[in-house]
Every structure is written in structure tokens, then in C-alpha cells.
Amino acid sequence: MSIGYTMKDSVLEFFVQAANKHDFSLDITLNVKGAVVSGTMISAKEYFSTLSEAFEDGNDIAQFLSEQLGSAGQAAQANDAEANFIHMKETKVYCGDSKPTPSKGKILWRGKLSEIDGFFLGKIHESSDH
């Protein structure tokens, strides 16, 4: 029977708040609804700044999006409120025993803290043994 609310792990929230406030990164692996998400936790500011760069050289709408994302990053760093999202870079998502998705590229990931079932420090590195 479901109670109807979700809780966040206070330790994980503490790590996210520290990253947001002090702009540090941490290798971490998350369990999210049966999937494993592995990468480097970053601040919301770095997340939005990096995302903003993807739109910088586009048309007027892309440049507007870039500016808005940059502003969101600045606001996230200044905000002392509770953290609701975790941001990661160099992220890989594993579902079952399959190869990670995506398997290549520098992937940014954003997830709701209330949806994370567990975590461990460190990230999964694929072995080159075949």
C-alpha cells in the first residue's frame, strides 16, 4: 500500500546542497527506479552553464534560451532553500546487464532527488576486457 508521498535522502540532499553552494563535484552512482545512473555530480550552476553553451551560437531563440539557462544557474547557486534536483555530467544510464545508454558523449543528466532509491560514492567504469 502506497502512502502517497516521497521522501528524499537527507545525506544525498546534503551533498547536492554542498555542490550547489560551493561548486564542487563528486563521482556518484544512483539507483533510480531499477536503473543505475553513474557519473559526476556537479552544481546546478555548472549544469545550467554547460547547457547554456549548447545554445549560444544559435538563432535569436537559441540565444534567449542560453541567457535564461545561464540565469537559472546563477539563481540556483544563490538559493539556500532545499535541493530538489541532482545534476550530473559524464553520465551513463544502465538498465539490466546491457551496455550503458548513451554509450558515448558527454551527457548531462538532471534527476529528482525524491525519485532516487539509493546511491554510492564513485562511478562505474567499463572494463576494456572482452
Side-chain angles (χ1 to χ4, degrees):
M1 180 179 243
S2 176
I3 297 174
Y5 69 91
T6 55
M7 293 178 50
K8 298 180 282 190
D9 182 308
S10 60
V11 174
L12 185 57
E13 183 179 17
F14 172 76
F15 287 145
V16 171
Q17 287 172 324
N20 287 343
K21 195 71 176 165
H22 304 290
D23 210 20
F24 86 100
S25 60
L26 177 70
D27 288 347
I28 195 165
T29 299
L30 311 171
N31 300 102
V32 184
K33 306 294 180 213
V36 175
V37 181
S38 190
T40 302
M41 182 181 65
I42 57 175
S43 68
K45 178 182 176 186
E46 182 178 345
Y47 172 85
F48 285 115
S49 175
T50 303
L51 200 56
S52 169
E53 290 170 9
F55 295 97
E56 278 181 338
D57 297 327
N59 62 22
D60 290 346
I61 298 208
Q63 288 180 12
F64 174 76
L65 286 172
S66 176
E67 291 169 13
Q68 294 301 308
L69 290 166
S71 296
Q74 294 295 338
Q77 186 177 28
N79 188 355
D80 284 334
E82 67 177 324
N84 291 305
F85 292 90
I86 183 170
H87 301 90
M88 296 171 64
K89 68 179 180 180
E90 299 167 7
T91 311
K92 296 190 186 290
V93 178
Y94 298 84
C95 295
D97 291 336
S98 64
K99 291 263 186 211
T101 305
S103 59
K104 295 181 181 175
K106 296 185 178 202
I107 304 304
L108 291 174
W109 186 86
R110 172 180 164 106
K112 287 178 14 181
L113 285 175
S114 62
E115 298 294 320
I116 296 171
D117 300 313
F119 72 94
F120 65 84
L121 299 182
K123 65 181 175 181
I124 299 172
H125 296 281
E126 291 183 58
S127 69
S128 56
D129 302 338
H130 289 123

